[in-house]
Amino acid sequence: MQLILLLSKPRTLQLFPLLLCLLLLPCLSQPLPSPSPSPSPSPSASPAPPPSLPLSPFNERLEAAYVAFQAWKHAITEDPKNLTEDWCGPFVCNYTGVYCAAAPDDPHVLTVAGVDLNHGDIAGCLPDHLGLLADVALLHLNSNRFRGTLPPSMQHMRLLFELDVSNNLLAGAFPAFLTSLPGLKFLDLRFNAFDGELPAAVFGRRLGLDAIFANDNRFNVSLSSASLTNSTASVIVLANTRLAGCLPPSIGDMADTLVELILLNTSISSCIPPEIGKLKKLRVLDLSHNELAGELPASVGDMESLEVLNVGHNMLAGEVPEAICELPRLRNLTIAGNYFCDEPVSCLHVPLRDDRMNCIPDWPHQRSPEECIAFAHRPPPHCAADGCIVIPPP
């Protein structure tokens, strides 16, 4: 039996080449496709660019960023959402909240361009190593529990464009280095515990901020014509801070850029200058809960872009100018808590209107006649050229 098997193997091997030829014969009978001719380049066509290669995740800038993030992680005491849990290892571009891009000064180098930890509820402080993130353009840290102040090393963030540290527990004086950052356009410090003077340079044309949110801190702010009204910002929010001075006539100098001005509850004791009517791009004006006196200027009716006007809870009196209620875009008008004695019927057409607690005859929800009579017997305020109220001699 073994002899038969041994003799049969050579016969099978002899037949194998023949079987292989029979299988390949149909394929060999088909002609091979000829290659398509290469398109001849046109004389004006530029050569195709070489395929771009991914940027290397290893360079000196990312090494410095690694040091910064590790120092920051060690300065964090609570991270309830575990946003920094993956802040391990040298690949910082894979960290949660970290965004990388090509460096502006060298497109062949990868660098950290932004950090976003908004609404993280993270507790801790901001270490001085943060300044190693020299290429960061966006730094969003709102709605956390960071304490202390902004580290001075952040002055090395020369590309910083947006800084949002609102709704934290930061304190101390205004970080002076912020006024030296050449690219900074959006600054949000609201809902912290910063105190002291808010430098005039914040509103300066040299810094050129486009949006300033400094409300709900303990800042002292001067309203002199050399500070606030020198700003080129489109949005200025200083609500619930302490403002010194009066609304100056130079407020009209911000006409080219100002879109939103919110100065509610800032202890302003002032008249409203007629020059405010020059702010034709202004959409939102909130001067409520102050000590404004005199009349509401008719020039407010020239503010053709105005959508929201709130002068409630002041000491304003006289008639509400009809031109204000006829503004084409006005959707929200609040004059409550003043001493106005007349309101045009056209104001009834404003979609959202609050005129309670005034002295408008036969109007619902007004002050008592006794209160209105007592106010009418007060000496009328005199508005000086600088916008301040001059108290007449007894």
Side-chain angles (χ1 to χ4, degrees):
M1 183 68 179
Q2 292 178 355
L3 180 61
I4 296 174
L5 290 175
L6 289 174
L7 293 174
S8 65
K9 284 183 181 180
R11 181 174 178 84
T12 304
L13 292 176
Q14 291 174 1
L15 293 175
F16 181 76
L18 179 61
L19 294 173
L20 184 61
C21 291
L22 293 173
L23 291 173
L24 292 178
L25 186 60
C27 299
L28 295 175
S29 63
Q30 301 294 328
L32 294 175
S34 59
S36 57
S38 305
S40 58
S42 60
S44 59
S46 57
S52 58
L53 298 176
L55 299 179
S56 171
F58 300 102
N59 58 60
E60 292 182 356
R61 303 190 195 198
L62 295 180
E63 290 174 6
Y66 171 76
V67 174
F69 286 121
Q70 294 309 305
W72 196 353
K73 185 174 183 178
H74 282 87
I76 291 174
T77 56
E78 293 181 42
D79 183 6
K81 298 182 180 180
N82 295 322
L83 296 182
T84 62
E85 184 178 17
D86 62 359
W87 284 19
C88 299
F91 300 104
V92 297
C93 296
N94 293 335
Y95 290 2
T96 297
V98 178
Y99 301 90
C100 293
D105 60 328
D106 189 345
H108 303 291
V109 173
L110 193 65
T111 189
V112 176
V115 179
D116 188 345
L117 297 176
N118 284 350
H119 305 282
D121 196 28
I122 299 172
C125 64
L126 302 176
D128 200 51
H129 295 79
L130 211 60
L132 293 173
L133 303 176
D135 293 327
V136 162
L138 306 177
L139 185 57
H140 292 172
L141 306 177
N142 79 55
S143 303
N144 286 288
R145 288 176 287 146
F146 289 117
R147 295 180 177 273
T149 189
L150 300 182
S153 66
M154 288 179 62
Q155 64 184 307
H156 301 299
M157 295 181 174
R158 310 303 290 176
L159 302 179
L160 192 60
F161 182 82
E162 289 188 10
L163 175 61
D164 183 358
V165 292
S166 61
N167 197 23
N168 276 280
L169 303 172
L170 299 171
F174 177 86
F177 67 85
L178 292 177
T179 61
S180 66
L181 297 180
L184 190 63
K185 295 299 177 185
F186 181 97
L187 177 61
D188 194 345
L189 304 177
R190 56 187 160 175
F191 296 105
N192 280 287
F194 291 111
D195 56 23
E197 293 291 329
L198 191 62
V202 172
F203 307 103
R205 295 175 182 268
R206 180 178 178 182
L207 180 59
L209 286 173
D210 183 61
I212 305 169
F213 297 89
N215 53 288
D216 293 273
N217 281 281
R218 301 169 187 168
F219 287 127
N220 296 319
V221 186
S222 172
L223 283 176
S224 67
S225 58
S227 57
L228 173 65
T229 59
N230 194 40
S231 174
T232 58
S234 63
V235 177
I236 299 177
V237 182
L238 299 175
N240 303 315
T241 57
R242 187 172 184 83
L243 303 189
C246 312
L247 289 175
S250 59
I251 193 171
D253 295 344
M254 297 188 285
D256 291 339
T257 56
L258 194 60
V259 173
E260 183 173 330
L261 179 62
I262 299 182
L263 303 179
L264 74 92
N265 192 30
T266 50
S267 305
I268 303 175
S269 179
S270 171
C271 299
I272 302 178
E275 289 80 3
I276 200 170
K278 297 179 181 179
L279 303 176
K280 297 185 184 297
K281 294 183 179 180
L282 197 68
R283 298 176 188 169
V284 179
L285 176 61
D286 192 338
L287 303 175
S288 62
H289 294 275
N290 285 297
E291 298 175 17
L292 300 176
E295 297 185 353
L296 189 59
S299 62
V300 176
D302 297 330
M303 301 165 68
E304 55 194 25
S305 301
L306 198 60
E307 300 174 7
V308 178
L309 174 61
N310 190 344
V311 293
H313 304 283
N314 281 286
M315 305 286 288
L316 298 170
E319 301 179 359
V320 177
E322 186 168 13
I324 295 176
C325 296
E326 294 177 347
L327 286 169
R329 299 184 180 180
L330 189 63
R331 296 291 178 267
N332 192 325
L333 173 64
T334 300
I335 60 172
N338 283 285
Y339 293 88
F340 290 110
C341 62
D342 192 18
E343 182 179 11
V345 177
S346 57
C347 294
L348 298 176
H349 302 293
V350 179
L352 295 175
R353 188 185 89 262
D354 187 356
D355 54 12
R356 295 171 295 172
M357 297 303 292
N358 278 284
C359 296
I360 305 172
D362 303 321
W363 219 252
H365 309 295
Q366 299 297 294
R367 296 181 185 273
S368 67
E370 294 78 13
E371 191 175 2
C372 293
I373 292 173
F375 180 83
H377 282 84
R378 296 181 187 178
H382 175 69
C383 299
D386 60 357
C388 293
I389 301 172
V390 178
I391 301 176

Short mmCIF file of all heavy atoms in Angstrom, two decimals, residues 214-266:
data_model
loop_
_atom_site.label_atom_id
_atom_site.label_comp_id
_atom_site.label_asym_id
_atom_site.label_seq_id
_atom_site.Cartn_x
_atom_site.Cartn_y
_atom_site.Cartn_z
N ALA A 214 -16.59 94.44 32.46
CA ALA A 214 -15.95 94.55 33.78
C ALA A 214 -16.99 94.64 34.89
O ALA A 214 -16.65 94.99 36.02
CB ALA A 214 -15.04 95.77 33.82
N ASN A 215 -18.23 94.33 34.58
CA ASN A 215 -19.31 94.49 35.56
C ASN A 215 -19.20 93.49 36.70
O ASN A 215 -18.53 92.46 36.60
CB ASN A 215 -20.67 94.33 34.87
CG ASN A 215 -20.80 93.06 34.08
OD1 ASN A 215 -20.19 92.91 33.02
ND2 ASN A 215 -21.60 92.12 34.57
N ASP A 216 -19.88 93.82 37.80
CA ASP A 216 -19.97 92.98 38.98
C ASP A 216 -18.60 92.65 39.55
O ASP A 216 -18.28 91.50 39.86
CB ASP A 216 -20.77 91.72 38.68
CG ASP A 216 -22.23 92.03 38.38
OD1 ASP A 216 -23.04 92.10 39.32
OD2 ASP A 216 -22.55 92.24 37.19
N ASN A 217 -17.76 93.68 39.66
CA ASN A 217 -16.51 93.64 40.41
C ASN A 217 -16.54 94.79 41.40
O ASN A 217 -17.60 95.36 41.69
CB ASN A 217 -15.32 93.75 39.46
CG ASN A 217 -15.00 92.44 38.76
OD1 ASN A 217 -14.38 91.55 39.31
ND2 ASN A 217 -15.44 92.33 37.50
N ARG A 218 -15.40 95.15 41.94
CA ARG A 218 -15.32 96.27 42.88
C ARG A 218 -14.47 97.40 42.31
O ARG A 218 -13.80 98.13 43.04
CB ARG A 218 -14.74 95.79 44.21
CG ARG A 218 -15.57 94.67 44.86
CD ARG A 218 -14.83 94.05 46.03
NE ARG A 218 -15.55 92.89 46.55
CZ ARG A 218 -15.03 92.03 47.41
NH1 ARG A 218 -13.76 92.18 47.82
NH2 ARG A 218 -15.74 91.00 47.84
N PHE A 219 -14.47 97.52 41.02
CA PHE A 219 -13.67 98.54 40.36
C PHE A 219 -14.21 99.93 40.64
O PHE A 219 -15.42 100.13 40.84
CB PHE A 219 -13.66 98.32 38.84
CG PHE A 219 -12.83 97.17 38.38
CD1 PHE A 219 -13.38 96.20 37.54
CD2 PHE A 219 -11.50 97.03 38.76
CE1 PHE A 219 -12.61 95.14 37.09
CE2 PHE A 219 -10.74 95.97 38.32
CZ PHE A 219 -11.30 95.02 37.49
N ASN A 220 -13.30 100.90 40.62
CA ASN A 220 -13.66 102.30 40.56
C ASN A 220 -13.32 102.80 39.16
O ASN A 220 -12.20 102.60 38.68
CB ASN A 220 -12.89 103.12 41.61
CG ASN A 220 -13.25 102.70 43.03
OD1 ASN A 220 -14.41 102.46 43.33
ND2 ASN A 220 -12.24 102.60 43.89
N VAL A 221 -14.29 103.42 38.52
CA VAL A 221 -14.12 103.84 37.14
C VAL A 221 -14.41 105.32 37.02
O VAL A 221 -15.41 105.81 37.54
CB VAL A 221 -15.05 103.05 36.20
CG1 VAL A 221 -14.75 103.40 34.74
CG2 VAL A 221 -14.89 101.55 36.42
N SER A 222 -13.52 106.03 36.33
CA SER A 222 -13.73 107.46 36.09
C SER A 222 -14.47 107.65 34.78
O SER A 222 -14.19 106.99 33.78
CB SER A 222 -12.38 108.18 36.03
OG SER A 222 -12.57 109.52 35.63
N LEU A 223 -15.44 108.58 34.81
CA LEU A 223 -16.21 108.88 33.61
C LEU A 223 -15.70 110.15 32.92
O LEU A 223 -16.43 110.77 32.17
CB LEU A 223 -17.69 109.07 33.96
CG LEU A 223 -18.48 107.79 34.20
CD1 LEU A 223 -19.90 108.12 34.63
CD2 LEU A 223 -18.49 106.93 32.97
N SER A 224 -14.47 110.51 33.16
CA SER A 224 -13.94 111.72 32.55
C SER A 224 -13.84 111.53 31.04
O SER A 224 -13.75 110.41 30.53
CB SER A 224 -12.57 112.07 33.12
OG SER A 224 -11.62 111.09 32.74
N SER A 225 -13.83 112.65 30.34
CA SER A 225 -13.78 112.59 28.87
C SER A 225 -12.49 111.99 28.36
O SER A 225 -12.40 111.57 27.21
CB SER A 225 -13.95 114.00 28.29
OG SER A 225 -12.94 114.86 28.77
N ALA A 226 -11.46 111.93 29.23
CA ALA A 226 -10.17 111.39 28.79
C ALA A 226 -10.08 109.88 28.97
O ALA A 226 -9.10 109.27 28.60
CB ALA A 226 -9.04 112.05 29.58
N SER A 227 -11.12 109.26 29.54
CA SER A 227 -11.04 107.82 29.78
C SER A 227 -12.11 107.08 29.00
O SER A 227 -11.89 106.66 27.87
CB SER A 227 -11.17 107.54 31.29
OG SER A 227 -12.38 108.08 31.79
N LEU A 228 -13.26 106.90 29.60
CA LEU A 228 -14.30 106.05 29.01
C LEU A 228 -14.65 106.47 27.58
O LEU A 228 -14.69 105.64 26.67
CB LEU A 228 -15.55 106.10 29.89
CG LEU A 228 -16.79 105.39 29.33
CD1 LEU A 228 -16.55 103.90 29.23
CD2 LEU A 228 -17.99 105.67 30.21
N THR A 229 -14.90 107.75 27.37
CA THR A 229 -15.39 108.18 26.06
C THR A 229 -14.31 108.22 25.00
O THR A 229 -14.59 108.56 23.85
CB THR A 229 -16.05 109.57 26.18
OG1 THR A 229 -15.10 110.52 26.67
CG2 THR A 229 -17.23 109.52 27.12
N ASN A 230 -13.09 107.85 25.38
CA ASN A 230 -12.01 107.75 24.40
C ASN A 230 -11.98 106.38 23.75
O ASN A 230 -11.19 106.12 22.84
CB ASN A 230 -10.66 108.04 25.08
CG ASN A 230 -9.55 108.28 24.09
OD1 ASN A 230 -9.76 108.95 23.08
ND2 ASN A 230 -8.37 107.75 24.37
N SER A 231 -12.87 105.50 24.19
CA SER A 231 -12.83 104.11 23.75
C SER A 231 -13.35 103.96 22.33
O SER A 231 -14.20 104.71 21.86
CB SER A 231 -13.68 103.24 24.70
OG SER A 231 -13.77 101.93 24.22
N THR A 232 -12.80 102.94 21.65
CA THR A 232 -13.29 102.55 20.33
C THR A 232 -14.04 101.23 20.39
O THR A 232 -14.28 100.60 19.36
CB THR A 232 -12.12 102.42 19.34
OG1 THR A 232 -11.19 101.45 19.85
CG2 THR A 232 -11.40 103.75 19.15
N ALA A 233 -14.43 100.81 21.59
CA ALA A 233 -15.11 99.53 21.76
C ALA A 233 -16.53 99.59 21.22
O ALA A 233 -17.16 100.65 21.19
CB ALA A 233 -15.13 99.13 23.23
N SER A 234 -17.03 98.44 20.82
CA SER A 234 -18.42 98.35 20.39
C SER A 234 -19.34 97.97 21.56
O SER A 234 -20.53 98.27 21.53
CB SER A 234 -18.57 97.33 19.27
OG SER A 234 -18.21 96.03 19.72
N VAL A 235 -18.78 97.31 22.58
CA VAL A 235 -19.57 96.90 23.74
C VAL A 235 -18.82 97.29 25.00
O VAL A 235 -17.65 96.93 25.18
CB VAL A 235 -19.82 95.37 23.73
CG1 VAL A 235 -20.59 94.96 24.99
CG2 VAL A 235 -20.57 94.95 22.48
N ILE A 236 -19.51 98.04 25.89
CA ILE A 236 -18.95 98.41 27.18
C ILE A 236 -20.00 98.09 28.24
O ILE A 236 -21.10 98.64 28.22
CB ILE A 236 -18.57 99.90 27.25
CG1 ILE A 236 -17.50 100.23 26.21
CG2 ILE A 236 -18.09 100.26 28.65
CD1 ILE A 236 -17.13 101.71 26.17
N VAL A 237 -19.64 97.18 29.16
CA VAL A 237 -20.55 96.78 30.23
C VAL A 237 -19.83 97.00 31.57
O VAL A 237 -18.86 96.32 31.88
CB VAL A 237 -20.98 95.31 30.10
CG1 VAL A 237 -21.97 94.95 31.20
CG2 VAL A 237 -21.61 95.07 28.73
N LEU A 238 -20.35 97.97 32.34
CA LEU A 238 -19.75 98.31 33.64
C LEU A 238 -20.79 98.25 34.75
O LEU A 238 -20.66 98.93 35.77
CB LEU A 238 -19.12 99.71 33.59
CG LEU A 238 -17.99 99.91 32.58
CD1 LEU A 238 -17.57 101.37 32.55
CD2 LEU A 238 -16.80 99.02 32.90
N ALA A 239 -21.83 97.47 34.56
CA ALA A 239 -22.93 97.40 35.52
C ALA A 239 -22.43 96.97 36.89
O ALA A 239 -21.49 96.18 37.02
CB ALA A 239 -24.00 96.44 35.02
N ASN A 240 -23.08 97.51 37.92
CA ASN A 240 -22.81 97.12 39.32
C ASN A 240 -21.35 97.35 39.72
O ASN A 240 -20.75 96.56 40.44
CB ASN A 240 -23.19 95.65 39.54
CG ASN A 240 -24.65 95.37 39.22
OD1 ASN A 240 -25.54 96.13 39.60
ND2 ASN A 240 -24.89 94.31 38.47
N THR A 241 -20.78 98.43 39.19
CA THR A 241 -19.48 98.91 39.65
C THR A 241 -19.69 100.35 40.13
O THR A 241 -20.78 100.89 40.08
CB THR A 241 -18.43 98.88 38.53
OG1 THR A 241 -18.90 99.65 37.42
CG2 THR A 241 -18.17 97.47 38.06
N ARG A 242 -18.63 100.96 40.60
CA ARG A 242 -18.75 102.33 41.11
C ARG A 242 -18.09 103.28 40.12
O ARG A 242 -16.87 103.25 39.93
CB ARG A 242 -18.10 102.44 42.48
CG ARG A 242 -18.35 103.79 43.16
CD ARG A 242 -17.85 103.77 44.59
NE ARG A 242 -18.17 105.03 45.27
CZ ARG A 242 -19.35 105.31 45.82
NH1 ARG A 242 -20.31 104.41 45.77
NH2 ARG A 242 -19.56 106.46 46.42
N LEU A 243 -18.92 104.14 39.51
CA LEU A 243 -18.42 105.11 38.56
C LEU A 243 -18.33 106.48 39.23
O LEU A 243 -19.25 106.90 39.92
CB LEU A 243 -19.33 105.21 37.33
CG LEU A 243 -19.58 103.90 36.55
CD1 LEU A 243 -20.31 104.20 35.26
CD2 LEU A 243 -18.27 103.19 36.26
N ALA A 244 -17.22 107.15 38.99
CA ALA A 244 -17.01 108.50 39.52
C ALA A 244 -17.10 109.49 38.37
O ALA A 244 -16.54 109.27 37.30
CB ALA A 244 -15.65 108.60 40.21
N GLY A 245 -17.82 110.59 38.62
CA GLY A 245 -17.94 111.60 37.59
C GLY A 245 -19.33 111.61 36.97
O GLY A 245 -20.26 110.96 37.46
N CYS A 246 -19.47 112.34 35.90
CA CYS A 246 -20.76 112.52 35.23
C CYS A 246 -20.66 112.06 33.78
O CYS A 246 -19.56 111.90 33.25
CB CYS A 246 -21.17 114.00 35.27
SG CYS A 246 -21.01 114.76 36.92
N LEU A 247 -21.82 111.85 33.18
CA LEU A 247 -21.82 111.51 31.76
C LEU A 247 -21.40 112.75 30.98
O LEU A 247 -22.16 113.72 30.91
CB LEU A 247 -23.22 111.06 31.33
CG LEU A 247 -23.70 109.70 31.83
CD1 LEU A 247 -25.14 109.46 31.40
CD2 LEU A 247 -22.80 108.59 31.31
N PRO A 248 -20.22 112.74 30.37
CA PRO A 248 -19.73 113.95 29.71
C PRO A 248 -20.31 114.11 28.31
O PRO A 248 -20.73 113.12 27.68
CB PRO A 248 -18.22 113.70 29.64
CG PRO A 248 -18.10 112.22 29.55
CD PRO A 248 -19.24 111.64 30.35
N PRO A 249 -20.35 115.34 27.80
CA PRO A 249 -20.81 115.53 26.42
C PRO A 249 -19.98 114.75 25.40
O PRO A 249 -20.48 114.45 24.31
CB PRO A 249 -20.67 117.05 26.22
CG PRO A 249 -20.73 117.62 27.60
CD PRO A 249 -20.08 116.60 28.48
N SER A 250 -18.75 114.43 25.75
CA SER A 250 -17.89 113.69 24.82
C SER A 250 -18.36 112.26 24.60
O SER A 250 -17.74 111.51 23.83
CB SER A 250 -16.45 113.69 25.33
OG SER A 250 -16.37 113.10 26.61
N ILE A 251 -19.44 111.86 25.27
CA ILE A 251 -19.96 110.50 25.05
C ILE A 251 -20.32 110.30 23.58
O ILE A 251 -20.26 109.19 23.05
CB ILE A 251 -21.17 110.25 25.96
CG1 ILE A 251 -21.52 108.75 25.97
CG2 ILE A 251 -22.39 111.08 25.53
CD1 ILE A 251 -22.56 108.38 27.01
N GLY A 252 -20.64 111.39 22.90
CA GLY A 252 -20.96 111.30 21.48
C GLY A 252 -19.77 110.97 20.61
O GLY A 252 -19.94 110.61 19.43
N ASP A 253 -18.55 111.07 21.18
CA ASP A 253 -17.36 110.76 20.39
C ASP A 253 -17.22 109.28 20.08
O ASP A 253 -16.39 108.89 19.26
CB ASP A 253 -16.10 111.23 21.14
CG ASP A 253 -16.05 112.73 21.30
OD1 ASP A 253 -16.82 113.43 20.59
OD2 ASP A 253 -15.28 113.23 22.14
N MET A 254 -18.03 108.44 20.74
CA MET A 254 -17.96 106.99 20.49
C MET A 254 -18.95 106.57 19.40
O MET A 254 -19.24 105.38 19.24
CB MET A 254 -18.25 106.23 21.78
CG MET A 254 -17.23 106.49 22.88
SD MET A 254 -17.46 105.41 24.32
CE MET A 254 -18.91 106.18 25.06
N ALA A 255 -19.46 107.53 18.63
CA ALA A 255 -20.51 107.24 17.66
C ALA A 255 -20.09 106.26 16.58
O ALA A 255 -20.93 105.51 16.07
CB ALA A 255 -20.98 108.55 17.03
N ASP A 256 -18.83 106.22 16.24
CA ASP A 256 -18.40 105.38 15.12
C ASP A 256 -18.40 103.88 15.45
O ASP A 256 -18.48 103.05 14.54
CB ASP A 256 -16.99 105.78 14.66
CG ASP A 256 -16.98 107.14 13.99
OD1 ASP A 256 -18.05 107.58 13.52
OD2 ASP A 256 -15.90 107.76 13.95
N THR A 257 -18.31 103.55 16.73
CA THR A 257 -18.12 102.14 17.08
C THR A 257 -19.12 101.60 18.09
O THR A 257 -19.44 100.41 18.06
CB THR A 257 -16.71 101.92 17.65
OG1 THR A 257 -16.52 102.79 18.78
CG2 THR A 257 -15.65 102.21 16.60
N LEU A 258 -19.63 102.43 19.00
CA LEU A 258 -20.38 101.91 20.15
C LEU A 258 -21.73 101.35 19.72
O LEU A 258 -22.53 102.01 19.06
CB LEU A 258 -20.59 103.01 21.19
CG LEU A 258 -21.05 102.55 22.57
CD1 LEU A 258 -20.04 101.58 23.18
CD2 LEU A 258 -21.28 103.73 23.49
N VAL A 259 -21.99 100.09 20.16
CA VAL A 259 -23.23 99.39 19.84
C VAL A 259 -24.02 99.07 21.11
O VAL A 259 -25.25 99.01 21.09
CB VAL A 259 -22.93 98.09 19.07
CG1 VAL A 259 -24.18 97.25 18.86
CG2 VAL A 259 -22.29 98.41 17.73
N GLU A 260 -23.32 98.87 22.23
CA GLU A 260 -24.00 98.50 23.47
C GLU A 260 -23.30 99.18 24.64
O GLU A 260 -22.08 99.05 24.80
CB GLU A 260 -23.99 96.98 23.65
CG GLU A 260 -24.74 96.48 24.87
CD GLU A 260 -24.84 94.96 24.90
OE1 GLU A 260 -24.87 94.36 23.81
OE2 GLU A 260 -24.89 94.39 26.01
N LEU A 261 -24.07 99.90 25.47
CA LEU A 261 -23.53 100.59 26.64
C LEU A 261 -24.44 100.29 27.83
O LEU A 261 -25.62 100.66 27.84
CB LEU A 261 -23.46 102.10 26.40
CG LEU A 261 -22.95 102.95 27.57
CD1 LEU A 261 -21.51 102.58 27.92
CD2 LEU A 261 -23.05 104.44 27.24
N ILE A 262 -23.90 99.60 28.83
CA ILE A 262 -24.67 99.21 30.01
C ILE A 262 -23.97 99.76 31.25
O ILE A 262 -22.88 99.30 31.61
CB ILE A 262 -24.83 97.69 30.09
CG1 ILE A 262 -25.58 97.18 28.85
CG2 ILE A 262 -25.57 97.28 31.35
CD1 ILE A 262 -25.84 95.70 28.82
N LEU A 263 -24.62 100.73 31.89
CA LEU A 263 -24.07 101.38 33.08
C LEU A 263 -25.08 101.33 34.22
O LEU A 263 -25.15 102.24 35.05
CB LEU A 263 -23.71 102.85 32.77
CG LEU A 263 -22.73 103.10 31.63
CD1 LEU A 263 -22.51 104.60 31.43
CD2 LEU A 263 -21.39 102.41 31.89
N LEU A 264 -25.84 100.28 34.30
CA LEU A 264 -26.87 100.21 35.34
C LEU A 264 -26.25 100.02 36.72
O LEU A 264 -25.22 99.37 36.88
CB LEU A 264 -27.88 99.11 35.03
CG LEU A 264 -27.47 97.63 35.22
CD1 LEU A 264 -27.83 97.14 36.61
CD2 LEU A 264 -28.12 96.75 34.18
N ASN A 265 -26.89 100.66 37.71
CA ASN A 265 -26.49 100.54 39.12
C ASN A 265 -25.01 100.86 39.32
O ASN A 265 -24.23 100.08 39.87
CB ASN A 265 -26.79 99.13 39.64
CG ASN A 265 -26.67 99.04 41.14
OD1 ASN A 265 -26.90 100.01 41.85
ND2 ASN A 265 -26.29 97.87 41.64
N THR A 266 -24.62 102.04 38.86
CA THR A 266 -23.23 102.47 38.98
C THR A 266 -23.09 103.77 39.76
O THR A 266 -22.03 104.38 39.74
CB THR A 266 -22.61 102.65 37.58
OG1 THR A 266 -23.47 103.47 36.79
CG2 THR A 266 -22.42 101.31 36.89
#
